[in-house]
Amino acid sequence: MNFASWPTLLVVDVEGNGTNPPDLVEIAALPVRAGIPDTTTAGAWLIRPERPVTPRAADIHGLTNDVLAAQPVWAQLADEVGAFLGQDWICAHNAHVDYRELHRHLPAWKPAGVIDTLRLAKATYTGLSSYTLDALIKHVAPDLSQAPRVGRHRATYDAYATAQLLLAMAGHYESWDQLIAAAVPPSLPGASEPEEEPTLW
């Protein structure tokens, strides 16, 4: 795989407050440049949600109402986050969720495409009993020594882990076009257009 041929790509992860639909409490966007996660230019935001964080959500990611009390609300961050994401490709694990919530909070945002490492993993590693992020980390054993120290279920850590999984899986494909054919869900931006049925005329 020639990583130099890749377009600008941001690996993203979001965490919510546990309500339905969720308020965002954390966003991470990690650029991948020349096949390397670039933590020096990554974007990371903590957000004070409009509704309280549920106990279950706080147990998962550790972002309690007290932790978020002094953080800005979404309205104060929306323009900054939208500008950072721009129109670049994004990648996420189970990308439908991250894309849906980011698009719900940024209705005008239109990424060039959306890579789903869950979909990619099912195409790359057939026959696994589970394709969760934890299961793939165990199966692939990527180098996470430089991951943020906040731990699993925090957006910055999960984005870094997802980036490493993406790069490991990319080695199974010869080109960017092959990769996205396996990794972009049909309903998300960047999917190949379905072939038109031939007609008599």
Side-chain angles (χ1 to χ4, degrees):
M1 173 66 74
N2 176 17
F3 291 113
S5 69
W6 286 25
T8 304
L9 174 71
L10 298 169
V11 181
V12 302
D13 188 76
V14 303
E15 301 296 335
N17 68 333
T19 61
N20 187 22
D23 295 336
L24 297 179
V25 296
E26 187 177 28
I27 302 172
L30 175 63
V32 173
R33 307 184 195 282
I36 299 172
D38 186 1
T39 57
T40 64
T41 60
W45 300 268
L46 290 173
I47 306 139
R48 186 173 79 249
E50 293 184 9
R51 295 163 292 177
V53 179
T54 65
R56 182 174 182 274
D59 285 343
I60 292 172
H61 52 52
L63 294 171
T64 64
N65 294 300
D66 287 344
V67 169
L68 298 169
Q71 300 300 323
V73 297
W74 176 246
Q76 296 172 283
L77 293 173
D79 288 346
E80 179 183 341
V81 175
F84 191 95
L85 295 176
Q87 295 180 325
D88 294 335
W89 277 79
I90 67 163
C91 170
H93 194 69
N94 197 10
H96 285 280
V97 175
D98 300 80
Y99 173 74
R100 180 187 66 218
E101 295 310 322
L102 285 169
H103 193 265
R104 187 166 64 84
H105 285 77
L106 295 167
W109 170 60
K110 295 179 180 179
V114 180
I115 289 175
D116 182 8
T117 50
L118 174 59
R119 181 181 177 88
L120 182 61
K122 289 180 177 179
T124 308
Y125 307 120
T126 57
L128 296 185
S129 59
S130 174
Y131 292 91
T132 65
L133 196 61
D134 286 323
L136 290 171
I137 289 171
K138 183 177 180 179
H139 179 74
V140 178
D143 181 6
L144 300 179
S145 61
Q146 301 302 311
R149 300 301 180 189
V150 291
R152 269 285 282 121
H153 299 296
R154 288 291 303 274
T156 52
Y157 185 98
D158 287 3
Y160 188 90
T162 300
Q164 295 288 27
L165 291 172
L166 170 65
L167 294 170
M169 289 187 284
H172 294 258
Y173 298 86
E174 294 183 0
S175 68
W176 170 258
D177 289 342
Q178 284 188 5
L179 179 75
I180 63 172
V184 180
S187 60
L188 295 186
S192 300
E193 293 292 331
E195 292 185 8
E196 294 185 6
E197 291 293 327
T199 64
L200 178 61
W201 308 109

